[in-house]
Amino acid sequence: MSDRDDYDPRFSLTPVDEPPFTETGVMLMGLDAERLLAGLGMASLADDPAQVALAVDRVRHGVTAALGFDALVETGARRWRGASAALAAAGPRPPAPASLRRAWDQALRTLSYCDLGEPGPAAIAHLAACWLRQEEIDRCAERPAPAGI
């Protein structure tokens, strides 16, 4: 019996040698649209994807911050609207592969072909996650900003 005969894909675990940035991307892909846009807005203040995700959660739960959650979402929505045109110009979004990690790699490749200035790692991570969830992010970004922002 070969090793291949024993292979059962239902119990495949994530390879232990995946880059940390890929695992960050998998985590970001699970966030709701508002949190992704808030993270994109926060990326201009801090540019470490894990720190941005934690900071967004703190703001979302009312921990004192210079900007409120709604302001971060609106800032991210503006940044997304500007970046999504460049992403669309880079070509159509590829069909979603079964693997989240493969989708993440494809999104990062697309970003590398875009003229987005020089975004840092947090902006790249949030833009890639937004690109993978484009329809949902577009709907959220089109909502009117809450009063006072």
Side-chain angles (χ1 to χ4, degrees):
M1 181 188 283
S2 73
D3 287 339
R4 192 73 184 145
D5 293 335
D6 293 335
Y7 179 73
D8 184 349
R10 294 176 298 172
F11 300 106
S12 294
L13 298 174
T14 303
V16 295
D17 58 348
E18 287 289 337
F21 196 66
T22 299
E23 296 309 309
T24 299
V26 170
M27 179 210 54
L28 290 175
M29 285 186 275
L31 298 179
D32 61 56
E34 284 187 330
R35 287 174 68 191
L36 281 174
L37 288 173
L40 187 54
M42 177 81 67
S44 62
L45 304 174
D47 215 349
D48 176 83
Q51 292 300 317
V52 167
L54 290 172
V56 166
D57 277 342
R58 291 180 58 137
V59 170
R60 185 171 182 232
H61 294 292
V63 176
T64 305
L67 292 174
F69 186 75
D70 290 339
L72 288 175
V73 172
E74 181 56 30
T75 301
R78 281 194 302 270
R79 194 165 187 183
W80 169 249
R81 287 188 292 266
S84 63
L87 284 161
R93 211 178 51 198
S99 166
L100 292 176
R101 288 160 185 83
R102 186 171 299 141
W104 180 253
D105 289 341
Q106 289 173 344
L108 291 176
R109 266 195 303 282
T110 300
L111 281 168
S112 71
Y113 296 118
C114 296
D115 182 16
L116 299 170
E118 297 201 24
I124 289 170
H126 284 80
L127 284 169
C130 287
W131 181 240
L132 290 168
R133 308 234 321 267
Q134 178 186 7
E135 292 85 13
E136 180 185 0
I137 298 298
D138 284 345
R139 280 192 307 273
C140 187
E142 290 171 3
R143 291 184 208 146
I149 295 182

